[in-house]
Amino acid sequence: MVGRSGKVVAATSRPSAYDQSTKTWWREAMRLSRGQAFLRVFSTTKAPASLALDIALPIVPEASGSAIGVLKAVVNISTLLASVTVLVGCG
C-alpha cells in the first residue's frame, strides 16, 4: 500500500524503493475514481522469466471522493496464459 505522497506505508515484502511516486502505476491509479483499476501486463526479469499483471486500485474514501493512496498487487499470469493456449489448441 502506498500513501498519498507516494511513500510505501505497508507491504508483504521489501519494495525496491520506499518512494514509489515516480512509478507509472502509482501516478495513474491516483488519478482514478472509486471502482476503477490500473492494469498492466509485463515480463519479469527474474529467473525464471514469466508474465505478470500489475493491479493498482485507488483507495478512495466515500467522504472525500479523491484517492488517499493506492493498493497494488502483482500477479503471475504465466500459468493462466499457458492454460488458455492449451484450450485454444484443443478446438
Side-chain angles (χ1 to χ4, degrees):
M1 185 181 323
V2 179
R4 179 181 293 145
S5 65
K7 309 295 190 274
V8 175
V9 294
T12 57
S13 61
R14 183 174 287 257
S16 58
Y18 173 66
D19 184 355
Q20 300 287 307
S21 65
T22 61
K23 304 293 185 185
T24 300
W25 61 263
W26 180 82
R27 290 192 322 267
E28 294 299 322
M30 285 296 289
R31 295 180 191 156
L32 297 175
S33 300
R34 174 185 224 118
Q36 295 181 315
F38 172 81
L39 304 172
R40 178 182 65 177
V41 175
F42 66 97
S43 178
T44 62
T45 56
K46 294 180 183 176
S50 62
L51 285 177
L53 176 65
D54 268 347
I55 305 170
L57 304 170
I59 302 166
V60 183
E62 286 186 36
S64 73
S66 60
I68 60 169
V70 176
L71 181 63
K72 180 189 178 207
V74 178
V75 180
N76 182 334
I77 59 172
S78 294
T79 304
L80 173 66
L81 293 177
S83 298
V84 170
T85 301
V86 169
L87 290 175
V88 170
C90 292

